[in-house]
Amino acid sequence: MNFMHKLRETNKTFVIAEIGQNHQGDINIAKELIKIAKECGADCAKFQKTCLTEKFTVSGLNRPYKSVNSWGDTYGAHKAYLEFSHEEFIELQNYAQEINILLTASAMDPESLNFLKEITVPFIKIGSGDSNNLLLIEQAALTGIPLVISTGMINFDTVKRIYDLVSKYHNNFALLHCVSAYPTPYENINLNVLNAYIKEFPDIVIGYSGHEIGIQPTVCAVAIGAKIIERHITLDKKQKGSDHNCSLEPPELKQLIDQIRSIELAMGDSIKQIQNCELSCYEKLGKSLVYAFDFSKGHKLKKDDLKIKVSYPKGLDGLLFDEVVGKNINCNVKSDDPVLSEQFS
């Protein structure tokens, strides 16, 4: 059974705590965030892995970057400051294994994809920034490793192209509805896209990667049917960096996961039946068939001879009304007596 099939077969939502680059380039902060993800109940901690010269052009790296969020004078220097080396990433992977939480990363380019393949991760993430990079997506599909693909900044036709492309190789992948705005205004979240994905792609896992302020839409996504949830996490929303303001601090992450687990319990199995917890209420308030008048033995019951009331002791269930009409009673009964099965020949 492949990774995604297991997710489809369970009632549990798979929660990814996206650390991204909210570690501020500090491996100790990165480890602290991994630990927080574990303590809050997340299933996986995730980073971003980039070979800068593969992802960006020379001019893109050399352009000046003057921003309150900048860690360098150029965009390349800024990104380099936040990028962990292969050795550091393996150190983080080992730490995650020690505390028993999965760890992976978004592959931002072919070299990073190969690195993640070599170190064996549970799945590879393709971020929305590469949702139009069909070359990278196909290379990722060819690895045979499970994929989680975000779909921000593209339309539904492109989503279908991604689905068709990866499906040529396997169906061990997930598509996440995502809006790439940090934060995403509530009026642009468009959770109903999840319904469209679930209908259009019934053989794969569908999830939600949220960038909104708060947790309510994310919890709603689970109720709609998202099997994977991804949210950015941070130690402090006020830290330097463009992702922090729409990330979840530890108490929010814990609250989100607790609410997701509650929603999972509440969703049930879609079988409508009397629940055990309802039985005491039924015994107290459930209505029974009773006689509307006094009747003598041998009387043939008509519709107007019966009423449905709360009775003690209980009689036959009110749903049996039509089955009782037309029967002859075998004893004398009084008004308001419960109708019992032994009263019929």
Side-chain angles (χ1 to χ4, degrees):
M1 185 182 294
N2 65 36
F3 183 84
M4 295 301 166
H5 186 70
K6 289 180 181 178
L7 293 188
R8 285 166 56 85
E9 294 300 310
T10 180
N11 290 329
K12 185 181 178 185
T13 308
F14 189 84
V15 179
I16 302 170
E18 165 68 300
I19 296 169
Q21 295 188 325
N22 283 353
H23 48 70
Q24 313 299 81
D26 186 325
I27 196 168
N28 292 316
I29 293 177
K31 289 181 179 179
E32 186 175 358
L33 286 166
I34 294 171
K35 183 180 179 183
I36 286 168
K38 169 66 177 179
E39 291 174 344
C40 290
D43 299 287
C44 181
K46 192 183 81 65
F47 291 86
Q48 297 171 5
K49 196 74 186 77
T50 306
C51 172
L52 296 181
T53 56
E54 287 289 319
K55 180 177 179 179
F56 299 99
T57 63
V58 172
S59 60
L61 292 172
N62 289 338
R63 70 181 176 90
Y65 188 51
K66 304 298 182 183
S67 166
V68 294
N69 294 318
S70 176
W71 295 95
D73 291 335
T74 65
Y75 197 68
H78 163 75
K79 296 298 288 185
Y81 182 90
L82 295 170
E83 187 65 33
F84 288 132
S85 67
H86 287 4
E87 293 74 21
E88 288 173 319
F89 194 88
I90 291 171
E91 182 179 341
L92 292 173
Q93 185 184 46
N94 291 336
Y95 176 72
Q97 290 173 348
E98 288 174 13
I99 65 171
N100 194 29
I101 184 172
L102 297 176
L103 183 139
T104 191
S106 296
M108 302 291 198
D109 53 79
E111 184 172 319
S112 298
L113 174 66
N114 289 332
F115 169 71
L116 294 174
K117 177 183 176 182
E118 289 171 3
I119 66 170
T120 309
V121 292
F123 64 90
I124 290 173
K125 175 74 189 297
I126 302 294
S128 292
D130 284 298
S131 57
N132 70 339
N133 189 349
L134 298 184
L135 292 177
L136 180 64
I137 292 172
E138 184 167 32
Q139 289 172 323
L142 282 165
T143 68
I145 298 170
L147 303 178
V148 175
I149 305 171
S150 280
T151 57
M153 301 185 290
I154 55 175
N155 60 26
F156 198 72
D157 286 341
T158 304
V159 175
K160 288 194 284 188
R161 287 184 66 184
I162 293 171
Y163 170 83
D164 291 339
L165 175 61
V166 180
S167 294
K168 290 195 306 183
Y169 302 100
H170 59 78
N171 69 349
N172 196 7
F173 70 102
L175 293 174
L176 307 190
H177 171 49
C178 176
V179 178
S180 299
Y182 304 82
T184 306
Y186 272 46
E187 62 268 25
N188 297 128
I189 292 173
N190 201 6
L191 286 177
N192 278 322
V193 168
L194 288 167
N195 289 315
Y197 282 12
I198 291 167
K199 180 179 179 181
E200 185 73 20
F201 314 117
D203 60 329
I204 64 168
V205 170
I206 300 301
Y208 174 66
S209 178
H211 302 117
E212 69 273 7
I213 301 296
I215 64 173
Q216 295 93 336
T218 305
V219 176
C220 289
V222 174
I224 291 171
K227 298 295 294 182
I228 296 175
I229 289 296
E230 179 184 60
R231 287 298 303 265
H232 288 252
I233 66 171
T234 181
L235 295 178
D236 185 349
K237 292 176 185 286
K238 296 178 181 178
Q239 283 184 318
K240 181 177 176 177
S242 57
D243 288 345
H244 289 286
N245 69 329
C246 62
S247 299
L248 302 180
E249 293 176 348
E252 293 175 295
L253 178 63
K254 180 66 165 61
Q255 183 183 25
L256 171 65
I257 295 174
D258 286 348
Q259 290 193 19
I260 286 173
R261 301 306 175 217
S262 295
I263 287 293
E264 290 165 350
L265 288 174
M267 292 301 292
D269 57 12
S270 77
I271 300 171
K272 178 58 180 172
Q273 58 187 340
I274 298 174
Q275 300 291 331
N276 288 335
C277 63
E278 296 180 286
L279 295 178
S280 62
C281 186
Y282 174 76
E283 288 300 316
K284 181 180 179 181
L285 299 176
K287 293 188 175 180
S288 304
L289 291 174
V290 299
Y291 294 103
F293 309 101
D294 296 348
F295 296 113
S296 300
K297 178 180 178 180
H299 178 76
K300 185 176 182 178
L301 292 173
K302 302 184 294 296
K303 184 176 181 179
D304 292 341
D305 294 339
L306 299 169
K307 290 186 177 181
I308 299 176
K309 294 184 177 183
V310 176
S311 170
Y312 184 82
K314 281 192 173 299
L316 293 176
D317 193 290
L319 293 173
L320 298 176
F321 185 93
D322 289 335
E323 296 181 27
V324 170
V325 171
K327 289 190 174 183
N328 297 93
I329 56 175
N330 60 16
C331 59
N332 297 332
V333 296
K334 293 185 176 298
S335 173
D336 262 1
D337 279 355
V339 177
L340 305 173
S341 58
E342 56 265 32
Q343 294 166 343
F344 305 106
S345 302

